[in-house]
Amino acid sequence: MKFVAITACPTGIAHTYMAAESLEQTAKANGDEIVVETQGSAGSEPLSAEDIASADAVIFAADLAVQGRERFAGKPIVEAPVKAAINDAAGLFERARAAAREPAPATPAAAPELTSKVGANDKAGTKVRQWLMTGVSYLIPFVAAGGLLIALSFALGGYQIVDAPKVTEHFDAGSVAGWAALMFQIGSAAFDFLVPVLAGFIAFAMADRPAIAPGFVGGAIAVTVGAGFLGGLVAGLLAGGVVLALKRIQVPKAMRGIMPVVVYPLLGSIVVGVLMYVVVGKPIAAATSGLTSWLNSLSGASALLLGALLGLMMAFDMGGPVNKAAYAFAVGGLTTGATASLQIMAAVMAAGMVPPLALALASTVRKKLFTEAERENGRAAWLLGASFITEGAIPFAAADPFRVIPSIMLGSAVTGSLSMAFGATLRAPHGGIFVLPLIGNPLMFLVALIAGTLVAAGSVIALKQVRFRAAERSAAVSGRPVNA
């Protein structure tokens, strides 16, 4: 049979493409054909009209609204979360086959819609998580561009580059320091957008395009009053809520055309601006200041415990909401420039690298404990782990969650704790081993990373060895071959 599919996750990074690969591999194993459109950050070729017309059924593996859904009118459609395509692609194909055997639904083509990042039927808790993850997904490109440029500027010109004159007043194109200053000021300009972008796209996820302007305005005010990252979260939720409330007001038909273009952005910006300046901005700023002071005061056991907690969060769901919450906490701290915040960023990145590296190591040194597919995934996990893509551990966790997940959580907790203890710092929000020259105290950062990787790999091997020996004893009794 022939299928077409769309995969999409809230951040549009790893899960989107891992789901696509899983669907393609399963279709190949089944002798089917499939063409996948990945609605992720890197994009893909849209499905052609010919592919859609010739498909027996459509698979949507998505955690958010599918863009261009109207293209599939009249086709049997199977919908599931993106992780279902990673963990149980075979089950999705069975559902798609069953749907293809049913009479095609007689539904008219839908008009193109302005989609938010949240499904209309999602539960309240899921909606809130998706709203926040949408903001983070649009934030990541700014974080990556700005953070890496700032890190590069420090590598070229040292930390004193922050005191360099503005390049609009003096730029020496013939010196390294001049280019370092330029990189720093471009990166700083990108960082200035972090909180407004976060707030704007949280609001967008809640109430579509009319909420973007109030969200950006609220985020910019959060920066002005010193409310920072937390202020951006609140501003985005306020903007989305205000615009949703405004949309419920019935207006004459003659005014409906101008409401989303003029009235909602105008009134939303006024209400959110007043609330942020007068009501909630200052209390959030005080809370942000207190949080920064607390982070800077951390030392000894407190720092170790925080590093361990962040490590546990990074490994728990490997790119899911808990992982993203820890990552967003670390990225938010980068905007303060505090030493403790830079240490947290280093601990989070190191801990996030451990799960794929540990499983790559375990599947290399004890091959008989892993299936052929897992060993193949292990070879790819070396690069994924080195690149700080925690999702590289998902295939292993999906196959054996009760042994893999506790092991990688233990290893990541060790790495996060050691990284904090060693005082490693990081201004770049991503990059893995490839930004090692930009890491403060890089040797001890590597020691923390290696230690956690060894602990996690050893734990996985030990737990799997227990199962393997039990399988050997069972095989000896039954006379069947061992299946690890």
Side-chain angles (χ1 to χ4, degrees):
M1 299 183 73
K2 182 172 182 179
F3 303 95
V4 292
I6 288 180
T7 61
C9 68
T11 57
I13 306 178
H15 286 76
T16 297
Y17 302 100
M18 293 175 71
E21 183 180 0
S22 178
L23 289 172
E24 290 166 348
Q25 290 178 350
T26 304
K28 184 178 179 181
N30 292 344
D32 296 323
E33 294 181 50
I34 190 167
V35 183
V36 183
E37 177 183 323
T38 51
Q39 294 185 355
S41 57
S44 72
E45 285 294 323
L47 293 167
S48 68
E50 293 78 11
D51 285 330
I52 295 173
S54 62
D56 295 300
V58 181
I59 297 173
F60 291 159
D63 289 336
L64 46 86
V66 170
Q67 299 174 25
R69 188 186 180 106
E70 69 280 356
R71 295 173 290 168
F72 306 96
K75 287 287 181 182
I77 295 175
V78 170
E79 300 188 63
V82 68
K83 283 192 175 181
I86 299 172
N87 299 336
D88 186 25
L92 278 184
F93 278 103
E94 286 301 316
R95 290 174 55 193
R97 290 177 189 280
R101 289 191 288 267
E102 296 293 326
T107 55
E113 56 180 313
L114 294 176
T115 59
S116 72
K117 299 296 184 181
V118 183
N121 298 321
D122 287 342
K123 295 179 181 179
T126 301
K127 285 185 176 182
V128 173
R129 185 178 74 244
Q130 301 289 39
W131 292 338
L132 300 180
M133 289 300 101
T134 298
V136 172
S137 72
Y138 284 99
L139 176 74
I140 286 173
F142 290 86
V143 171
L148 292 173
L149 282 169
I150 290 173
L152 180 61
S153 73
F154 288 139
L156 293 175
Y159 291 106
Q160 66 273 15
I161 205 67
V162 297
D163 300 321
K166 293 182 178 179
V167 294
T168 52
E169 299 171 359
H170 175 73
F171 173 55
D172 183 5
S175 71
V176 173
W179 285 100
L182 180 60
M183 294 299 102
F184 177 78
Q185 290 172 36
I186 295 173
S188 297
F191 257 36
D192 288 341
F193 287 101
L194 295 189
V195 175
V197 165
L198 176 71
F201 285 100
I202 288 174
F204 163 70
M206 294 177 68
D208 291 332
R209 292 185 185 181
I212 291 179
F216 267 79
V217 169
I221 295 172
V223 175
T224 301
V225 301
F229 200 71
L230 292 177
L233 291 174
V234 173
L237 294 171
L238 283 175
V242 167
V243 174
L244 283 175
L246 291 172
K247 284 183 172 183
R248 292 191 176 96
I249 300 174
Q250 297 296 320
V251 297
K253 283 186 178 180
M255 294 186 60
R256 289 177 186 173
I258 66 169
M259 296 300 287
V261 180
V262 177
V263 178
Y264 295 152
L266 173 62
L267 294 181
S269 297
I270 292 172
V271 173
V272 173
V274 170
L275 290 173
M276 290 301 297
Y277 268 127
V278 179
V279 181
V280 300
K282 290 183 179 179
I284 297 173
T288 300
S289 177
L291 177 62
T292 302
S293 299
W294 174 71
L295 290 175
N296 284 325
S297 69
L298 288 177
S299 60
S302 299
L304 296 181
L305 288 174
L306 178 60
L309 174 62
L310 292 171
L312 291 171
M313 293 174 70
M314 290 300 293
F316 174 70
D317 56 0
M318 296 155 283
V322 177
N323 171 285
K324 289 295 187 293
Y327 180 70
F329 175 68
V331 169
L334 286 179
T335 61
T336 69
T339 300
S341 298
L342 303 183
Q343 292 174 352
I344 288 170
M345 188 71 248
V348 162
M349 189 170 83
M353 294 167 68
V354 166
L357 289 176
L359 290 160
L361 177 61
S363 62
T364 299
V365 299
R366 292 304 303 274
K367 294 181 180 180
K368 69 177 183 178
L369 299 178
F370 297 86
T371 66
E372 179 58 37
E374 287 176 324
R375 291 195 289 270
E376 185 66 29
N377 287 325
R379 287 189 279 273
W382 287 112
L383 180 59
L384 294 173
S387 303
F388 181 36
I389 300 177
T390 315
E391 288 88 341
I394 288 176
F396 297 92
D400 192 4
F402 297 110
R403 293 174 180 82
V404 170
I405 293 177
S407 299
I408 60 177
M409 288 178 67
L410 177 61
S412 290
V414 168
T415 290
S417 185
L418 288 177
S419 179
M420 292 291 289
F422 296 150
T425 59
L426 177 64
R427 290 180 179 270
H430 217 290
I433 205 71
F434 303 103
V435 295
L436 188 62
L438 311 178
I439 294 174
N441 202 0
L443 180 60
M444 299 314 292
F445 176 90
L446 286 177
V447 169
L449 176 62
I450 292 170
T453 299
L454 292 175
V455 168
S459 299
V460 168
I461 290 171
L463 291 175
K464 282 184 173 287
Q465 186 68 43
V466 172
R467 183 185 65 173
F468 186 77
R469 286 176 178 168
E472 282 184 323
R473 288 193 296 269
S474 177
V477 172
S478 63
R480 293 181 304 219
V482 176
N483 183 6

